[in-house]
Amino acid sequence: MKVVVIGNGMVGYKCCEKLIARSASSPLELVVFGEEPRPAYDRVHLTSWFDGKTANDLLLAPLSWYTDNGIRLHLGDPVMQIDRTHKTVTSYKGITEPYDYLVIATGSAAFVPPVPGMDKKGVFIYRTIEDLEMMKAYAPQASCGAVIGGGLLGLEAAKALLDLGISNTHVIEFSPRLMPRQIDEQGAAILQHKLHQLGLKILTGKNTREVMGNEAVTGLQFADDTILPADIVVVSAGIKPRDELAKACGLATGPRGGIIVNEQLQTSDPFIYAVGECALHNNMIYGLVAPGYEMAEVAISHMCSDHKAFTGFDMSTKLKLIGVDVASFGDPFPAPDTCHSIVFEDKYKGTYKRINITPDGQFLLGGILIGDAAAYNLLLQTARNKMVLPANPEELLLGSRGTADNGAGVTALPDEAMICSCENVSKGTICQAVTDGHETLDDVKKCTKAGTCCGGCTPMVKDLITATMKAQGKYIRNVVCEHFAYSRQEMLDLIKLKSLRSFDEVLDHYGSGEGCEVCKPVVASILASLWNDMILDKGNDTAQDSNDRYLANIQKGGTYSVVPRIPGGEITPEKLIVIGEIATKYNLYTKITGGQRIDLFGAHLSDLPDIWEELIAAGFESGHAYGKALRTVKSCVGSTWCRFGLHDSVSFAIQIEERYRGLRAPHKIKSAVSGCIRECAEAQSKDFGIIATEKGWNLYVCGNGGSKPQHAQLLAADLDSDTCIRYIDRFLMFYIKTADPLTRTATWLNKLDGGMDYLRNVVVNDSLGIAEQLEAAMQLLVDNYKCEWREVVENPELRKRFSHFVNAPADKDPTVKFETMRAQKKAAEWK
Amino acid sequence: MSTTHTTTGTWFFACKTTDVPTNGGVCVKYNDEQIALFFFARRNEWYATQNLCPHRRQMALSRGMTGTVQDEPKVACPFHKKTFSLKDGRCLSDEHECSLTTYPVKIVDDRVYINVAEIPVMAEV
Ligand SMILES: Cc1cc2nc3c(=O)[nH]c(=O)nc-3n(C[C@H](O)[C@H](O)[C@H](O)COP(=O)(O)OP(=O)(O)OC[C@H]3O[C@@H](n4cnc5c(N)ncnc54)[C@H](O)[C@@H]3O)c2cc1C
Ligand code: SF4
Ligand code: FES
């Protein structure tokens, strides 16, 4: 069988993939013509080209994939003619190829309204990588942008203009609201308001009459005689199916364009199929990728004598437009008398949710989600699978808070439920993969392809993995280890209830065996978080993680590093000299850390108390670099020196660092304070970060650097210093009380039921009524703070523990070896 | 098949019982050797092993956290948390890792003695 595919876009590519998958059973000759200069790429994520994805990153498959599978791919060579009588096609470069079956997957072109001046310089369309390259080249000379069209693509294009640095960008929509096909008036208003906050200007009800300017565009004139200055314009007013080839060879096309196809995607010539955006099925053009993929599946299986039918496709979509979730599914706005709608709107947060249910309250017909589309997948599945609704359907929108088992929703779905509609993967397939041992998201993606296209179903796939594993009894309870059958949070509550103060007491009350390297540090950390007693007291020393036990970080070779606290990164020259002198005396390697302090490496265990005695005499204190505790509060120089500074970020950073120093938590905590929005202290990468505003401080929480970077999110804005500290007290204590062991704030938030909204409710609105309690718990710790190193230095019994040999305290470990590098020492390489 | 020590070597005095932290370890110097000594206070048991962690050859086991797994006493190396049985020295977290040499310990009054065979003697039973 010889197949020729015209068009190597997303759907054309999918046809190749499907044909190759079936070629094992019957021999296949496959020839593809593509007009664009590169192989098929992910047009859906075109806009990510502006945030750093390269054309190569976007490819659906590398060139080698085509060669490896024996596909003859002609790029940059459009087909010019189809000869149906002889069953051949001829390309621009003059290649003539006969076919048994022909697939037309020519997609669509941007629809450019017939308005004078559209051909001026600076007017672009937004469809291919070449379009983006041209826009990017032109952008530096432009300062005000306009996008004609306020639909899905128009808003994407507006994002592209913002990304190109054109912050003064208008979106112009002909109808009275944005995205008229997907969302209703009320939703559009919320969306418009949100986009406005993000800096995008929107004009609705505007009919463009002329593109002004001589050679290059200078502005737009509207039918109401108003004028908008613009020196770069993107036209995104809709799509026009590319049916020119089909028309020329006499295939049936629709009056408004599109190649007419039947349920098998055959055109009026049974040997020619049309798929994707160029196909007109039942008077519909499908401008989305998922229906296109389904068409590819149906067409190719029909060609291989399998009987499938394309009976239309749900146009549900979920997108992130300039950071705002927008989703529309099923029937977003049925006629009022055929349904009953439940609407939830929060103007303050900018969320709008609407679901339409049948008049008898039994089934979900469709809906709209704006600002927060977390529930999209579940709602879509509920609608698609005609699942009977709960007695209070509003719970679908609001969620039943608190006890809800995260992900329980997916268990109710039938096995046939389509989870990944791009790749056509059902719930049953995913669960089977998990049962077969693919227990991570990556594994499941690899073996089922779910979540590899638009990625929208990923959260649901994750939930399915967890639910399936739970069902197999693999992950039943989040207990600490074999010695304690409780979660960390339960342990904390129990220890507090009984006022237990040592690891042994806790083990006696609630544990079994001798403990281990997992539960000991957990209990030790809980004890420290509750009482802030000296951690080396009461036999708790040996329950500490090794670094905590020696109040220093063990390094290669078995020596330790010493980090004195330098609050806010501010230090006097005199103190710098002391550090230098101590480092010289004890032969320590010195390095500035990422947290604006100085790390001294290579200290022998037995030298630690002497080193600290000298540091303390010079006014230093422990920096807790060894603990799962507050590390540093980084600061920029702020208003005392910086010409942009709004407030004194250094003083506030010092105040905060001194308040929370020594605070022990499930994991380390980092913070920073910036003096203005330029954010030189990188506060948004911290567990809690503070940025000065005209009116006070913005407090961000749950950011993370490290291996999985995550930006902190705004918890509250324009706070005065006292309120800011109170919120931090509450936030930190709530984290300490509820997080699993060794969980940073970012991961904790990601797992927190209800996420940031819930956290904000607890911290800012005191929804649990525990704010006072949290603040009091924090105050107790602040009041109990003592420098651990000072206590060791002053206590001969504790000092004694800092020797390598119990029977030769004066001897150092003779196996410790150093090498030299750049005039300092380094640990000898280990084997 | 299991392995036990024959206690034919020399008993040397390591330290006082009070020198060892409860439920923790210390490092004992014996000529050029370093021996890690552990005290399980809750069950009043003493164990001794080489101080060298075989993983990256670090003198660190005496500073590791002790504990049990299914009642078997163990220590976790502070560097990469590999765990070793204190009964027979085998690595519990990685079957390909080398085992530790273990030494018998005895307590006389408040004095701790460790048995070192001049050439370690092992017998199979
Ligand atoms: C910016 C942007 C964002 C989008 N976002 C989404 C989204 O979030 N979700 C979603 O579902 N969809 C989205 N879409 C739509 C989606 O990209 C299309 O539905 C999909 O690409 C259609 O695939 P296709 O193969 O039919 O057409 P195309 O991908 O356009 O491929 C057609 C190819 O055929 C070539 N061609 C045309 N004529 C000839 C000829 N005579 N000879 C040879 N080759 C020819 C064209 O050059 C083109 O390469 C977006 C589109 C754009 C532009
Ligand atoms: S964040 Fe603002 S105040 Fe601080 S140093 Fe940078 S520019 Fe200056
Ligand atoms: S050195 Fe001991 S576990 Fe790596």
Side-chain angles (χ1 to χ4, degrees), chain A residues 830-831, chain B residues 51-61 76-84 91 93 97:
Chain A
W830 61 20
K831 283 149 223 147
Chain B
N51 192 33
L52 185 79
C53 175
H55 174 226
R56 291 288 186 175
R57 307 190 61 75
Q58 300 288 304
M59 281 297 183
L61 292 175
C77 174
F79 277 92
H80 310 98
K81 296 268 154 71
K82 290 202 187 257
T83 53
F84 298 90
C91 185
S93 51
E97 190 53 79

Tab-separated table of all heavy atoms in Angstrom, chain A residues 830-831, chain B residues 51-61 76-84 91 93 97, ligand 3:
chain	number	residue	atom	x	y	z
A	830	TRP	N	37.583	11.233	47.749
A	830	TRP	CA	37.307	9.877	48.239
A	830	TRP	C	37.164	8.894	47.097
A	830	TRP	O	37.079	9.270	45.939
A	830	TRP	CB	36.156	9.843	49.204
A	830	TRP	CG	34.826	10.310	48.677
A	830	TRP	CD1	34.434	10.413	47.374
A	830	TRP	CD2	33.739	10.747	49.475
A	830	TRP	NE1	33.168	10.880	47.313
A	830	TRP	CE2	32.708	11.088	48.583
A	830	TRP	CE3	33.519	10.853	50.843
A	830	TRP	CZ2	31.490	11.552	49.029
A	830	TRP	CZ3	32.299	11.302	51.275
A	830	TRP	CH2	31.303	11.656	50.379
A	831	LYS	N	37.213	7.598	47.486
A	831	LYS	CA	37.261	6.584	46.423
A	831	LYS	C	35.867	6.111	46.061
A	831	LYS	O	34.982	6.142	46.863
A	831	LYS	CB	38.108	5.402	46.901
A	831	LYS	CG	39.589	5.748	46.815
A	831	LYS	CD	40.397	5.023	47.899
A	831	LYS	CE	41.402	5.987	48.522
A	831	LYS	NZ	41.671	5.772	49.909
B	51	ASN	N	35.534	1.264	62.593
B	51	ASN	CA	34.979	2.623	62.493
B	51	ASN	C	34.872	3.064	61.030
B	51	ASN	O	34.163	4.002	60.704
B	51	ASN	CB	35.873	3.598	63.271
B	51	ASN	CG	35.210	4.956	63.450
B	51	ASN	OD1	33.989	5.041	63.567
B	51	ASN	ND2	36.009	6.015	63.465
B	52	LEU	N	35.596	2.354	60.169
B	52	LEU	CA	35.652	2.753	58.767
B	52	LEU	C	34.396	2.291	58.021
B	52	LEU	O	34.093	1.103	58.000
B	52	LEU	CB	36.882	2.119	58.108
B	52	LEU	CG	37.155	2.542	56.673
B	52	LEU	CD1	37.831	3.904	56.635
B	52	LEU	CD2	38.038	1.505	55.977
B	53	CYS	N	33.700	3.233	57.399
B	53	CYS	CA	32.575	2.835	56.560
B	53	CYS	C	33.127	2.369	55.225
B	53	CYS	O	33.872	3.100	54.562
B	53	CYS	CB	31.622	4.004	56.339
B	53	CYS	SG	30.317	3.570	55.176
B	54	PRO	N	32.801	1.140	54.817
B	54	PRO	CA	33.394	0.614	53.585
B	54	PRO	C	32.920	1.338	52.330
B	54	PRO	O	33.568	1.251	51.291
B	54	PRO	CB	32.947	-0.850	53.573
B	54	PRO	CG	31.779	-0.923	54.485
B	54	PRO	CD	31.904	0.192	55.476
B	55	HIS	N	31.825	2.047	52.414
B	55	HIS	CA	31.276	2.659	51.199
B	55	HIS	C	32.264	3.647	50.573
B	55	HIS	O	32.762	3.424	49.494
B	55	HIS	CB	29.929	3.323	51.501
B	55	HIS	CG	29.390	4.077	50.342
B	55	HIS	ND1	28.882	5.343	50.452
B	55	HIS	CD2	29.309	3.754	49.038
B	55	HIS	CE1	28.500	5.758	49.264
B	55	HIS	NE2	28.746	4.804	48.383
B	56	ARG	N	32.568	4.744	51.272
B	56	ARG	CA	33.547	5.689	50.736
B	56	ARG	C	34.772	5.754	51.630
B	56	ARG	O	35.479	6.746	51.634
B	56	ARG	CB	32.925	7.083	50.608
B	56	ARG	CG	31.871	7.187	49.540
B	56	ARG	CD	32.481	7.137	48.171
B	56	ARG	NE	31.451	7.380	47.165
B	56	ARG	CZ	31.715	7.489	45.868
B	56	ARG	NH1	32.953	7.371	45.437
B	56	ARG	NH2	30.746	7.715	45.026
B	57	ARG	N	34.973	4.716	52.412
B	57	ARG	CA	36.124	4.617	53.297
B	57	ARG	C	36.260	5.838	54.193
B	57	ARG	O	37.267	6.533	54.198
B	57	ARG	CB	37.400	4.375	52.486
B	57	ARG	CG	37.293	3.190	51.538
B	57	ARG	CD	38.594	2.795	50.907
B	57	ARG	NE	39.623	2.381	51.867
B	57	ARG	CZ	39.626	1.219	52.509
B	57	ARG	NH1	38.635	0.363	52.310
B	57	ARG	NH2	40.583	0.911	53.352
B	58	GLN	N	35.200	6.113	54.936
B	58	GLN	CA	35.201	7.251	55.845
B	58	GLN	C	35.189	6.755	57.292
B	58	GLN	O	34.442	5.826	57.635
B	58	GLN	CB	33.957	8.122	55.599
B	58	GLN	CG	33.866	8.683	54.186
B	58	GLN	CD	34.880	9.780	53.918
B	58	GLN	OE1	34.929	10.776	54.633
B	58	GLN	NE2	35.715	9.583	52.910
B	59	MET	N	36.011	7.394	58.151
B	59	MET	CA	36.085	7.029	59.570
B	59	MET	C	34.915	7.692	60.295
B	59	MET	O	35.071	8.746	60.893
B	59	MET	CB	37.406	7.537	60.150
B	59	MET	CG	38.576	6.668	59.812
B	59	MET	SD	38.378	5.015	60.540
B	59	MET	CE	39.951	4.301	60.029
B	60	ALA	N	33.783	7.090	60.225
B	60	ALA	CA	32.607	7.845	60.638
B	60	ALA	C	31.546	7.038	61.359
B	60	ALA	O	30.618	7.619	61.915
B	60	ALA	CB	31.977	8.465	59.399
B	61	LEU	N	31.654	5.723	61.388
B	61	LEU	CA	30.510	4.957	61.890
B	61	LEU	C	30.199	5.257	63.353
B	61	LEU	O	29.040	5.233	63.755
B	61	LEU	CB	30.748	3.456	61.675
B	61	LEU	CG	30.747	3.056	60.195
B	61	LEU	CD1	31.111	1.594	60.035
B	61	LEU	CD2	29.382	3.330	59.578
B	76	ALA	N	23.691	3.590	61.179
B	76	ALA	CA	23.611	4.232	59.861
B	76	ALA	C	24.794	5.179	59.719
B	76	ALA	O	25.020	6.028	60.578
B	76	ALA	CB	22.306	5.017	59.732
B	77	CYS	N	25.534	5.034	58.638
B	77	CYS	CA	26.680	5.918	58.400
B	77	CYS	C	26.186	7.356	58.189
B	77	CYS	O	25.219	7.569	57.464
B	77	CYS	CB	27.450	5.445	57.176
B	77	CYS	SG	28.778	6.567	56.698
B	78	PRO	N	26.842	8.331	58.817
B	78	PRO	CA	26.375	9.714	58.651
B	78	PRO	C	26.541	10.253	57.232
B	78	PRO	O	25.907	11.236	56.882
B	78	PRO	CB	27.239	10.521	59.626
B	78	PRO	CG	28.284	9.624	60.131
B	78	PRO	CD	27.949	8.216	59.775
B	79	PHE	N	27.369	9.610	56.434
B	79	PHE	CA	27.612	10.178	55.102
B	79	PHE	C	26.478	9.906	54.120
B	79	PHE	O	25.907	10.833	53.567
B	79	PHE	CB	28.940	9.667	54.534
B	79	PHE	CG	30.104	10.475	55.046
B	79	PHE	CD1	30.787	10.086	56.179
B	79	PHE	CD2	30.465	11.641	54.410
B	79	PHE	CE1	31.831	10.851	56.657
B	79	PHE	CE2	31.515	12.410	54.889
B	79	PHE	CZ	32.206	12.011	56.016
B	80	HIS	N	26.169	8.653	53.887
B	80	HIS	CA	25.113	8.353	52.909
B	80	HIS	C	24.066	7.420	53.477
B	80	HIS	O	23.328	6.773	52.736
B	80	HIS	CB	25.717	7.751	51.635
B	80	HIS	CG	26.869	8.533	51.086
B	80	HIS	ND1	28.165	8.194	51.339
B	80	HIS	CD2	26.909	9.659	50.342
B	80	HIS	CE1	28.971	9.068	50.754
B	80	HIS	NE2	28.229	9.967	50.149
B	81	LYS	N	24.040	7.320	54.795
B	81	LYS	CA	23.004	6.554	55.483
B	81	LYS	C	22.938	5.091	55.072
B	81	LYS	O	21.854	4.482	55.050
B	81	LYS	CB	21.620	7.203	55.279
B	81	LYS	CG	21.510	8.595	55.899
B	81	LYS	CD	20.967	8.538	57.309
B	81	LYS	CE	21.392	9.691	58.192
B	81	LYS	NZ	20.820	10.977	57.907
B	82	LYS	N	24.062	4.491	54.707
B	82	LYS	CA	24.031	3.042	54.553
B	82	LYS	C	23.951	2.456	55.957
B	82	LYS	O	24.565	2.977	56.888
B	82	LYS	CB	25.300	2.548	53.844
B	82	LYS	CG	25.327	2.949	52.391
B	82	LYS	CD	26.246	2.056	51.589
B	82	LYS	CE	26.392	2.575	50.185
B	82	LYS	NZ	25.615	1.837	49.200
B	83	THR	N	23.189	1.371	56.100
B	83	THR	CA	23.042	0.815	57.441
B	83	THR	C	23.694	-0.559	57.515
B	83	THR	O	23.701	-1.315	56.539
B	83	THR	CB	21.554	0.698	57.829
B	83	THR	OG1	20.878	-0.030	56.812
B	83	THR	CG2	20.910	2.058	57.965
B	84	PHE	N	24.241	-0.839	58.677
B	84	PHE	CA	24.984	-2.083	58.886
B	84	PHE	C	24.482	-2.768	60.148
B	84	PHE	O	24.215	-2.099	61.156
B	84	PHE	CB	26.480	-1.785	59.042
B	84	PHE	CG	27.093	-1.153	57.824
B	84	PHE	CD1	27.129	0.231	57.683
B	84	PHE	CD2	27.608	-1.936	56.797
B	84	PHE	CE1	27.679	0.821	56.561
B	84	PHE	CE2	28.172	-1.354	55.659
B	84	PHE	CZ	28.202	0.032	55.542
B	91	CYS	N	25.951	-5.300	55.484
B	91	CYS	CA	25.265	-4.071	55.091
B	91	CYS	C	23.798	-4.408	54.858
B	91	CYS	O	23.469	-5.297	54.076
B	91	CYS	CB	25.883	-3.471	53.839
B	91	CYS	SG	25.143	-1.888	53.434
B	93	SER	N	21.409	-2.152	53.865
B	93	SER	CA	20.707	-1.342	52.866
B	93	SER	C	21.237	-1.599	51.458
B	93	SER	O	20.713	-1.067	50.497
B	93	SER	CB	20.835	0.139	53.212
B	93	SER	OG	22.186	0.472	53.446
B	97	GLU	N	27.387	-4.182	49.239
B	97	GLU	CA	28.391	-3.464	50.022
B	97	GLU	C	29.148	-4.454	50.895
B	97	GLU	O	28.615	-5.491	51.307
B	97	GLU	CB	27.685	-2.391	50.886
B	97	GLU	CG	28.600	-1.409	51.567
B	97	GLU	CD	29.569	-0.752	50.581
B	97	GLU	OE1	29.170	0.177	49.857
B	97	GLU	OE2	30.725	-1.223	50.547
C	3	FES	S1	30.699	6.664	53.426
C	3	FES	FE1	29.399	5.568	54.701
C	3	FES	S2	27.578	5.440	53.565
C	3	FES	FE2	28.903	6.486	52.174
